[in-house]
Amino acid sequence: MSFRINTNVASLQSREYLRQTSESQGKTIGRVTSGLRILSSGDDAAGLSIANTFRSDQAVLSQGIRNANDGLSTLQTIDGGINNISKLLDRARTLATQSASGTFSGSRTVLNSEFQSVVTEIDRQAQAIGLNAGGTFAKSLSVFIGGGRTSGSTTSTTNGSVGVNLSNSTVDSKSLGLQGVQAQGVASVDIGTGSASTSVSAIVNDATNVASLETAGSTKIYFRGPGFADNERVEVAVNLSGITDTDTLVAGINSAIDNAGNAASAQATAFKNAGVKAVVVTAADGKKSIGFTSSATAFQAEAGDRLSNALLGNVTSASNPTGLTLTNTVTGGSATAAAATTFGATGAGTVQVRFQGGGLSSPVDISLTVAAGTTIEQALASLTSQVASNSALQAAGITGTTATAGSALVFTSNRGERFEVSASGDLQNRLGLGSFRSAGGASGTFDYTAVSGTNGAFTASAETLEFSIGGGSTVALTVTPNAATIAGATESLNAAIAGNSTLAAAGLVATNDGTNITLTSTNGSKFRINTVGNANIFGFADNTTNVGVADVAETQAGNTTVNSFIAAGSQQTSLLSFTGIRGGGDDQTLTVVANDENGVEHSLAVVLRNDGTVRNAGTVDEAIDAINTALKQSNDATLQKIVAVKDKASGAGAEGIRFASTLQNFRVAVGTNEAGTGVGSQGTVVTAATVGTGATADITTQAGADRAVNALADAVSTLGNAQAVVGRGQNQFNFAVNLAQSQLTNLAASESRIRDADLAEEAASLTKAQILLQAGISALAQANSAPQQVLALLRG
């Protein structure tokens, strides 16, 4: 056994244990006094991190519960407002039912006054609760509550949010079907009995109006809308028998509308579903006009003859009931051949006359087979007969007006729409429509993507060639071969084409096989070619005895009135200009975008083109047909509510395209092409907006009251659907609050288990520390005194 004085090991050990005991006691006292197990990150770094996450989640959930309760309060307010609107509908139905009775002898005007005030109050209250069209809450509402988890493509934020979509739950009068769209004639013209000059009776008995009728005793009105547009427009033939005033006129029109809607066709069914009805519109000054209403479908109404044009307010003057003319004429560029002139051996073959535009969804070609001895009179008789019997031209109202030898041809659109007439294969210009050749010589197709010449002279002399790309304006090209060879002619022709932007864009290229030159479009552009003169240098005059004439453009004249009306109160784009797409490389894409009732975006790309794939945009009518066909065939119920119609800003204005629908704020993105042809406003997005005001349900007549009763029955159902959505939202919020409250409770418990101290355990630890501390102090005193025992050895 050894004894040391310099180093007291026992004392050092005692002090270390005493330090540890003291620290343990301090921590225990801290836990007891704070109630927390973790006083610093060193106590439990991992546990503290988890506990802090739980605490943060609790903060989110606490605010989320308040958010949900706020949303619940908002929905409860909306629910109360809808309950009140339901009572207003009850009152409106009572008034409408009273007015609809045939035995009612009181004043329907008085009833209607209260009825209109009820409708106005519905709109006010719908706006107050934010569920009018475009209102504060008429959208998809998302409330973030928290507590969500990420799973796949769903984020924790999305999973932690509760949504209620009120975008299709608007409850204003328009949304409930009490206020629809309305196409109205010229309001400033009184067709009621208050004006003897322009009354219904005066209009239907006017000799000029009667003479314009295609069918005696029947006037026509055309309607276009989703599912019944373009060449599928619906013709409503109104029997004029017994029509003497506005009331009998409306009854007659509605009877004709019912008949048209019951026809066995898809467009008739779509028209019937649109629910278009004729009504009498009475202005504040008492003037009466005709209007057409629909509760949910945008449409266009168009006069079909001078009589219906007058009924729509387009009269010659306030004192003259004659309707404004609807005719639009196309006159040939030059006179037809003189009487008894034959086509001759060089002119024998097939002559084709093409009609485009004027309501035609695709070109209509009339083929005339002429022999050498065929006279101009015989050819004109055949042309007149075929035009008159062609069903597509008949439906479009296009007729041959003048077909006399020695005079220019005249064709007429009785609808007042612009159209084009052109020809090919008439190598000696007997018809006065130009001497453009057909592909393959005197007989062949109207236009072509490739054509070969014959018997070219290939001399180094100038010759003028005329081209029409895709039926467009004539482009003249004077070319002199750089050498008196086919190679020199080909090279010079290609150089001239390259120097002309229109022909170069059409991809025209000249090649030769050593005998003849062939012109080909590399991008599928359709073209025609005409040789001026008879030199036949390049071989496209067929032979030197045929003298091609310089092309003279047709002339347009006629309709300077706007005889069509798009329903006011509908969503419409601005009028988009249109220029026919001629070249094969000028494709243009239109993208139509609309949101459905749930706020989901729907889109459709429509390609307008004139190439080897599709030729659907040579005229505005062809483009509109392509657009509406694409919308119809999309099988998308949302996009099928949109229609493209032909319209113009003024009577003499150019025809363009306007999109219309009852969908809110739909839009059309207009693509670009190199030539700038097709739909105008290229590179922009055109957004639709409400144009004008629609029609409100009216019970001043028994017929109007009948319609109001039906509309109100539907309104009650619509309101119920809207209230169901609100109720579903309330339930969602309640369930979400319940879950969030449960999560909050469990998170608090989880955090407590990690962060809070177990006071029973800490009390035991504190007692233990106190005892150890007392023992340690006593032991340390004894250890410190141990070296003094060594002195006893020294004293001995």
Side-chain angles (χ1 to χ4, degrees):
M1 181 176 182
S2 61
F3 294 94
R4 297 176 181 84
I5 298 174
N6 291 335
T7 302
N8 191 340
V9 176
S11 175
L12 292 176
Q13 290 176 337
S14 297
R15 278 187 291 170
E16 176 59 22
Y17 289 134
L18 185 61
R19 181 189 64 78
Q20 292 178 8
T21 301
S22 178
E23 286 183 0
S24 176
Q25 183 184 42
K27 287 184 178 180
T28 302
I29 292 173
R31 289 169 180 158
V32 171
T33 56
S34 68
L36 299 175
R37 184 181 70 85
I38 303 174
L39 297 175
S40 66
S41 58
D43 294 338
D44 185 352
L48 181 62
S49 175
I50 296 171
N52 285 342
T53 299
F54 288 160
R55 184 178 63 189
S56 181
D57 288 345
Q58 290 176 67
V60 171
L61 283 168
S62 296
Q63 182 58 51
I65 291 172
R66 288 192 290 271
N67 291 347
N69 284 326
D70 290 344
L72 186 58
S73 297
T74 298
L75 291 181
Q76 288 171 342
T77 301
I78 292 173
D79 193 26
I82 292 178
N83 283 331
N84 210 40
I85 290 175
S86 178
K87 295 176 183 178
L88 289 168
L89 287 180
D90 293 345
R91 180 55 183 164
R93 293 189 77 180
T94 300
L95 294 169
T97 303
Q98 186 177 7
S99 181
S101 173
T103 59
F104 178 72
S105 58
S107 172
R108 287 190 170 89
T109 301
V110 174
L111 292 180
N112 188 61
S113 177
E114 183 182 353
F115 182 87
Q116 297 303 327
S117 68
V118 170
V119 173
T120 300
E121 182 61 14
I122 288 174
D123 284 335
R124 190 194 70 80
Q125 294 198 15
Q127 182 177 352
I129 62 175
L131 279 189
N132 57 313
T136 305
F137 300 118
K139 57 187 177 183
S140 182
L141 303 175
S142 178
V143 176
F144 180 67
I145 298 175
R149 293 289 181 268
T150 299
S151 177
S153 60
T154 303
T155 65
S156 59
T157 301
T158 302
N159 183 247
S161 300
V162 174
V164 55
N165 191 350
L166 300 179
S167 58
N168 196 43
S169 299
T170 50
V171 293
D172 56 334
S173 61
K174 185 173 183 179
S175 302
L176 294 176
L178 303 181
Q179 185 183 78
V181 298
Q182 177 174 282
Q184 182 182 351
V186 181
S188 60
V189 176
D190 185 7
I191 66 170
T193 55
S195 173
S197 300
T198 57
S199 66
V200 170
S201 178
I203 290 172
V204 298
N205 289 296
D206 180 82
T208 304
N209 290 339
V210 172
S212 73
L213 302 178
E214 292 183 16
T215 304
S218 176
T219 186
K220 294 180 179 179
I221 303 172
Y222 295 93
F223 293 89
R224 297 179 177 87
F228 54 99
D230 319 311
N231 60 326
E232 293 184 340
R233 65 186 181 275
V234 171
E235 176 188 286
V236 173
V238 183
N239 189 338
L240 296 173
S241 177
I243 291 180
T244 57
D245 55 22
T246 53
D247 289 339
T248 54
L249 173 62
V250 166
I253 294 175
N254 283 330
S255 175
I257 286 175
D258 290 341
N259 291 336
N262 290 328
S265 66
Q267 59 265 34
T269 301
F271 177 61
K272 183 176 182 179
N273 292 338
V276 177
K277 293 295 181 184
V279 295
V280 178
V281 181
T282 304
D285 58 4
K287 292 181 178 179
K288 293 185 176 182
S289 59
I290 294 297
F292 301 95
T293 66
S294 172
S295 62
T297 302
F299 65 94
Q300 180 188 53
E302 178 185 27
D305 48 56
R306 295 185 74 167
L307 195 150
S308 59
N309 205 23
L311 291 174
L312 291 177
N314 283 321
V315 293
T316 303
S317 69
S319 59
N320 187 340
T322 301
L324 294 174
T325 181
L326 294 180
T327 58
N328 187 81
T329 61
V330 172
T331 303
S334 60
T336 60
T341 302
T342 63
F343 279 77
T346 59
T350 300
V351 177
Q352 292 183 307
V353 179
R354 170 166 289 184
F355 296 82
Q356 285 182 281
L360 297 171
S361 59
S362 60
V364 172
D365 292 338
I366 301 296
S367 296
L368 306 176
T369 302
V370 296
T374 300
T375 64
I376 184 63
E377 287 89 350
Q378 291 172 326
L380 292 176
S382 176
L383 175 62
T384 301
S385 174
Q386 290 191 61
V387 168
S389 61
N390 186 276
S391 58
L393 295 179
Q394 283 182 337
I398 296 175
T399 60
T401 309
T402 302
T404 305
S407 300
L409 285 170
V410 179
F411 301 93
T412 301
S413 165
N414 295 321
R415 308 276 189 273
E417 300 182 58
R418 293 180 63 86
F419 65 104
E420 304 169 1
V421 183
S422 51
S424 70
D426 185 12
L427 303 180
Q428 299 183 83
N429 195 34
R430 295 292 192 251
L431 299 178
L433 298 175
S435 55
F436 283 104
R437 60 169 287 168
S438 296
S443 63
T445 58
F446 179 85
D447 50 10
Y448 22 80
T449 57
V451 61
S452 296
T454 55
N455 303 319
F458 309 125
T459 60
S461 302
E463 184 172 59
T464 298
L465 301 176
E466 292 182 333
F467 298 85
S468 172
I469 307 299
S473 302
T474 299
V475 176
L477 205 63
T478 301
V479 187
T480 302
N482 58 23
T485 63
I486 189 172
T490 303
E491 182 180 345
S492 297
L493 184 54
N494 279 327
I497 289 172
N500 183 281
S501 59
T502 301
L503 301 183
L508 294 187
V509 175
T511 58
N512 72 77
D513 59 3
T515 303
N516 297 309
I517 294 177
T518 297
L519 275 170
T520 304
S521 170
T522 58
N523 60 21
S525 296
K526 286 278 192 177
F527 65 95
R528 290 176 294 156
I529 187 172
N530 174 48
T531 301
V532 180
N534 65 345
N536 199 31
I537 292 172
F538 295 93
F540 295 107
D542 292 314
N543 54 69
T544 56
T545 62
N546 183 58
V547 182
V549 300
D551 187 47
V552 180
E554 63 192 25
T555 57
Q556 297 263 355
N559 183 25
T560 57
T561 63
V562 176
N563 60 301
S564 61
F565 306 88
I566 301 176
S570 63
Q571 293 269 311
Q572 302 173 27
T573 64
S574 57
L575 181 63
L576 301 173
S577 62
F578 183 86
T579 306
I581 294 178
R582 306 299 184 183
D586 293 327
D587 295 1
Q588 181 187 34
T589 300
L590 304 180
T591 304
V592 183
V593 183
N595 292 339
D596 64 17
E597 57 208 24
N598 297 316
V600 178
E601 184 176 280
H602 299 245
S603 64
L604 175 70
V606 182
V607 180
L608 302 180
R609 61 205 311 170
N610 196 344
D611 56 24
T613 302
V614 175
R615 304 190 186 279
N616 63 10
T619 66
V620 65
D621 298 277
E622 293 171 16
I624 289 174
D625 180 70
I627 294 167
N628 286 325
T629 298
L631 290 170
K632 183 178 178 180
Q633 294 178 351
S634 69
N635 293 322
D636 187 308
T638 298
L639 296 175
Q640 286 174 340
K641 295 178 181 179
I642 301 172
V643 65
V645 296
K646 184 164 62 176
D647 197 15
K648 53 185 180 179
S650 62
E655 295 174 338
I657 300 175
R658 197 185 299 274
F659 292 82
S661 178
T662 51
L663 296 172
Q664 293 291 318
N665 302 322
F666 72 92
R667 53 200 182 276
V668 180
V670 184
T672 61
N673 62 17
E674 186 174 349
T677 54
V679 179
S681 300
Q682 294 191 1
T684 66
V685 177
V686 183
T687 302
T690 302
V691 176
T693 56
T696 303
D698 185 278
I699 60 172
T700 52
T701 64
Q702 184 178 353
D706 288 338
R707 290 192 295 272
V709 168
N710 292 330
L712 284 163
D714 293 337
V716 171
S717 176
T718 301
L719 186 71
N721 291 336
Q723 194 161 21
V725 174
V726 173
R728 185 170 67 243
Q730 292 181 66
N731 289 335
Q732 276 184 279
F733 284 149
N734 277 321
F735 292 136
V737 167
N738 291 341
L739 175 61
Q741 193 64 61
S742 174
Q743 289 175 305
L744 183 62
T745 301
N746 287 298
L747 283 171
S750 298
E751 184 195 8
S752 175
R753 281 191 288 270
I754 296 172
R755 192 188 299 273
D756 292 350
D758 183 344
L759 292 182
E761 179 182 347
E762 297 304 329
S765 297
L766 181 59
T767 301
K768 174 184 175 182
Q770 288 173 342
I771 294 171
L772 288 174
L773 184 62
Q774 292 174 4
I777 292 172
S778 177
L780 178 59
Q782 292 180 21
N784 287 338
S785 64
Q788 295 178 3
Q789 304 301 321
V790 179
L791 295 177
L793 296 175
L794 296 176
R795 285 195 295 267

